[in-house]
Amino acid sequence: PRMSVNEERTVTVQDILEDEELQEAYAVLAGSDPDNCSYPQGYVKRQAVFACNTCTPRGVEPAGLCLACTNHCHDGHDIFELYTKRNFRCDCGNSKFGVLRCQLSPGKDRQNDKNHYNHNFHGCYCTCDRPYPDTEDQVNEDMIQCIICEDWYHPRHLGCTVEDSEELQEMVCETCMNKAPFLWTYATHIAEPPMVKVSPCKGEVEINVEEDKEPEDKRRDEPCMNGGEGSSTSPSWLRELKTQGLERVREGAVFWPYHWRAKLCTCVSCKRAYVDAGVQFLLDESDTVLAYENRGTIEQGTASLDSLLMSSLSTLDRVQQLEIVYQFNEMQTELMAFLRQIADEGKVVTAEAIHQFFGELMSRKRRQMNS
């Protein structure tokens, strides 16, 4: 995800339809409830999070707010928009806010001990610890979020060439790569840029990193990259990288393509390594910001479909209304199941996928009518 500067102005539906940045902002907010505090849900898997510079300025303990509390309890305050955070519980009105009490969910614990905070909650970002937007910064560039520490970075401070590609959806900063060093091995194969370096005592080796062609039963007893036995998920290219001593230069941030998480080994040994490094969420493809945004877009799309249906029914008689409602609900149920499956897998909802869905739906309807 990237953070962009936008001037404050009135936003219309047409603006959202025509402006890609507004669409992204809309998707982030659409995934969170604007009216009900998220605190009763516990530590929410992913939600839009804000910080109040009026109530918790720099120098005091950091605290985070859900979208609803930002709108209702902190209206008119100086707010920092933090995009989304994982496994976060709303702090509004707890002990960090002194006499202020949450108007939406007042019965909260004094603190949320499992929340994770960084300098973003005081309006600072990147290794340069500067605000965003920064009036003193002469370089106007978008910031990019690390998917592990969830801090935001200026591209010029990432220590690598930043590729402008729609296929590269997630970034891990150098600090987080070193906290989970096994990721460097994966980066040799699937990250960008695909740099491969051999140690001086090794010769150049051509590695076929396309789809693993080995049969499942042949792979079953092979050791994975972390030395665990019994892995059926460690592909041949990964074992060959380890055997041949191939590695990537361990410098700078790393950019990852769609579905790279699906390539992570899931043997017991590797799962322990993910837990030890605090990155076990990487195995959950629904953890991605893309999956969160897709879910929000789907929910808002459902509301739009309902509104369209109600306006159309007013022109029909009662029998026609019942028939249309029945068919619409059946179609909507199937469509929502289809879209949620795509969202949970962290995939993008493409025009081709939608056309395929409706094509198959129409084929089923025709078969039913002809039977």
Side-chain angles (χ1 to χ4, degrees):
R2 295 176 183 242
M3 180 190 296
S4 303
V5 180
N6 278 314
E7 295 180 0
E8 187 174 345
R9 59 187 175 89
T10 301
V11 178
T12 66
V13 173
Q14 189 64 28
D15 289 332
I16 294 175
L17 293 175
E18 296 177 352
D19 191 308
E20 183 177 344
E21 290 183 2
L22 286 176
Q23 289 178 23
E24 293 177 358
Y26 177 74
V28 171
L29 297 181
S32 297
D33 191 332
D35 299 312
N36 299 293
C37 177
S38 64
Y39 180 86
Q41 302 175 38
Y43 292 87
V44 179
K45 192 170 187 177
R46 182 169 293 282
Q47 64 176 314
V49 174
F50 305 80
C52 182
N53 192 39
T54 303
C55 297
T56 54
R58 196 163 193 171
V60 304
E61 284 190 277
L65 312 169
C66 68
L67 175 60
C69 286
T70 302
N71 291 340
H72 293 273
C73 305
H74 299 263
D75 184 33
H77 292 191
D78 183 13
I79 299 295
F80 298 131
E81 299 180 27
L82 307 184
Y83 204 64
T84 70
K85 300 289 185 184
R86 72 168 58 86
N87 299 329
F88 197 88
R89 197 174 197 184
C90 181
D91 287 320
C92 179
N94 67 15
S95 62
K96 296 183 177 184
F97 289 84
V99 297
L100 184 142
R101 290 292 174 264
C102 180
Q103 301 172 23
L104 303 178
S105 182
K108 296 181 177 178
D109 294 339
R110 288 182 55 80
Q111 292 198 18
N112 297 311
D113 296 331
K114 295 181 181 179
N115 280 353
H116 293 283
Y117 307 93
N118 58 18
H119 62 168
N120 295 173
F121 289 82
H122 287 138
C124 295
Y125 308 89
C126 192
T127 53
C128 60
D129 197 37
R130 296 291 303 171
Y132 189 86
D134 188 349
T135 56
E136 298 179 9
D137 190 355
Q138 301 301 313
V139 181
N140 184 22
E141 60 181 352
D142 296 349
M143 299 190 80
I144 305 173
Q145 188 181 37
C146 170
I147 62 165
I148 293 182
C149 67
E150 298 190 303
D151 196 0
W152 292 85
Y153 295 86
H154 297 103
R156 63 186 184 274
H157 295 154
L158 286 175
C160 67
T161 301
V162 177
E163 301 290 334
D164 186 14
S165 170
E166 293 183 359
E167 296 301 318
L168 302 175
Q169 289 298 307
E170 297 193 309
M171 182 273 287
V172 178
C173 70
E174 182 178 347
T175 298
C176 289
M177 288 293 295
N178 290 330
K179 288 180 179 177
F182 48 82
L183 290 179
W184 289 112
T185 302
Y186 287 99
T188 302
H189 163 52
I190 56 179
E192 184 70 26
M195 296 182 296
V196 174
K197 181 181 181 180
V198 297
S199 57
C201 60
K202 302 287 184 180
E204 290 287 346
V205 179
E206 288 287 335
I207 297 293
N208 180 10
V209 294
E210 299 300 323
E211 182 179 359
D212 191 3
K213 301 300 183 181
E214 288 186 75
E216 189 73 21
D217 56 352
K218 183 178 179 181
R219 298 189 305 167
R220 197 170 304 281
D221 295 323
E222 291 286 341
C224 73
M225 57 178 290
N226 284 321
E229 298 294 332
S231 170
S232 63
T233 55
S234 181
S236 61
W237 63 260
L238 188 56
R239 297 194 302 275
E240 192 166 358
L241 287 178
K242 181 180 179 182
T243 302
Q244 299 295 337
L246 295 175
E247 61 181 65
R248 176 191 175 106
V249 177
R250 299 194 174 196
E251 311 181 329
V254 175
F255 287 80
W256 305 84
Y258 283 124
H259 313 314
W260 73 277
R261 299 186 187 208
K263 296 179 180 290
L264 296 175
C265 181
T266 56
C267 76
V268 174
S269 178
C270 284
K271 285 182 177 179
R272 289 197 189 108
Y274 305 148
V275 172
D276 291 342
V279 297
Q280 60 270 27
F281 52 82
L282 292 179
L283 293 179
D284 181 5
E285 291 194 59
S286 67
D287 166 80
T288 66
V289 173
L290 178 62
Y292 165 85
E293 291 180 348
N294 282 344
R295 285 194 295 271
T297 302
I298 290 169
E299 290 168 2
Q300 293 300 315
T302 302
S304 299
L305 286 173
D306 290 340
S307 176
L308 177 62
L309 174 64
M310 295 308 296
S311 63
S312 300
L313 288 178
S314 61
T315 61
L316 305 176
D317 62 37
R318 182 64 176 170
V319 175
Q320 291 173 320
Q321 287 178 351
L322 292 175
E323 180 64 22
I324 290 297
V325 167
Y326 174 78
Q327 293 185 15
F328 179 84
N329 286 339
E330 185 179 23
M331 180 276 292
Q332 186 178 18
T333 299
E334 294 186 36
L335 178 59
M336 290 306 107
F338 170 74
L339 294 177
R340 287 191 183 280
Q341 179 181 355
I342 292 179
D344 290 341
E345 293 173 355
K347 298 179 180 178
V348 176
V349 181
T350 64
E352 291 77 12
I354 295 296
H355 290 157
Q356 180 181 353
F357 168 81
F358 280 106
E360 293 175 353
L361 182 65
M362 293 301 294
S363 296
R364 288 198 301 272
K365 294 297 181 184
R366 282 193 291 269
R367 288 196 297 269
Q368 291 173 3
M369 293 176 64
N370 295 331
S371 61

